[in-house]
Amino acid sequence: MPDSYFDHEQALDFDDYANQLLEQGLQESPAHLHGGICGLLVAAPLEPDHCLAALCQALQLDIRGELAGSSLQLILATTKAMADDQFEFHLFLPDDETEIEQRINALADWCRGFLAGYAMAVTDPGADGLGDEVAEILKDVSAIAEVGMDNEIDDEEAESSYFELTEFLRFATLNLAQDALQMDEAE
């Protein structure tokens, strides 16, 4: 996983984004916000400004100033990556140099954000019921949101499990995004 998110010209670094959150007095993880963005986008594709407003509402945050600009950049990059047929989409998580326990906690934060964003988007009165595949994915995301570091496994096994979970979430998100795109195009 690269230490910055998407295009190299306007890369968004995880740690820099975390610092922007702290400067604005927010204790949220960048992973949590990215999960929220992804949940919103796969449930109801939104324009970036609307997505930012919905994100603030879903996660009960007040995002403004430089942080709002960075968040819009993250929304645009995420939207672009989800639509890319080369599977360039990745979860916005700490880099591989970060302790495995912190990365596992960030992954759980990402899942909690995803669920909050998704729930926010489907509370729309016009939203359809969940299909079986969507319900199963949400159940899995909910289970992953509860993960923590198991002290009885070694770091190599933890790394392997972490990688498998991130790949599962990446492709589950892409599948949901493609379904949402197809539904949007059909309307």
Side-chain angles (χ1 to χ4, degrees):
M1 174 75 199
D3 63 352
S4 59
Y5 202 68
F6 301 120
D7 76 33
H8 300 289
E9 292 175 19
Q10 295 182 335
L12 184 59
D13 180 77
F14 189 90
D15 292 332
D16 290 344
Y17 192 61
N19 288 336
Q20 287 179 17
L21 287 164
L22 288 173
E23 287 169 6
Q24 202 165 87
L26 302 173
Q27 299 298 315
E28 303 298 319
S29 161
H32 190 233
L33 271 72
H34 187 249
I37 291 166
C38 293
L40 286 163
L41 292 175
V42 301
L46 301 167
E47 293 297 319
D49 289 338
H50 292 106
C51 186
L52 181 58
L55 178 68
C56 289
Q57 188 174 359
L59 301 182
Q60 300 175 347
L61 301 173
D62 179 23
I63 297 175
R64 58 194 180 299
E66 182 181 351
L67 180 59
S70 294
S71 298
L72 284 170
Q73 180 184 346
L74 185 58
I75 291 166
L76 290 167
T78 301
T79 302
K80 180 180 175 183
M82 283 183 175
D84 183 71
D85 60 2
Q86 299 298 311
F87 307 110
E88 291 296 319
F89 170 78
H90 293 278
L91 280 58
F92 192 41
L93 297 168
D95 65 31
D96 293 341
E97 301 302 314
T98 304
E99 294 286 329
I100 185 65
E101 186 170 4
Q102 290 175 321
R103 287 184 283 143
I104 289 170
N105 290 338
L107 184 64
D109 279 346
W110 188 94
C111 290
R112 286 188 287 274
F114 182 92
L115 294 169
Y118 193 89
M120 176 71 191
V122 297
T123 57
D124 178 27
D128 294 333
L130 299 178
D132 290 341
E133 180 184 6
V134 173
E136 188 65 31
I137 289 172
L138 293 176
K139 180 180 170 187
D140 291 341
V141 172
S142 181
I144 297 168
E146 301 300 319
V147 299
M149 183 68 175
D150 184 349
N151 294 328
E152 295 186 20
I153 64 171
D154 62 29
D155 283 353
E156 188 174 317
E157 191 176 344
E159 289 284 352
S160 177
S161 295
Y162 173 80
F163 177 77
E164 289 174 17
L165 289 174
T166 57
E167 285 299 291
F168 168 78
L169 290 168
R170 184 168 85 93
F171 282 101
T173 302
L174 283 170
N175 286 338
L176 292 174
Q178 290 302 315
D179 289 349
L181 259 174
Q182 290 171 354
M183 288 178 61
D184 196 41
E185 290 171 358
E187 291 178 1

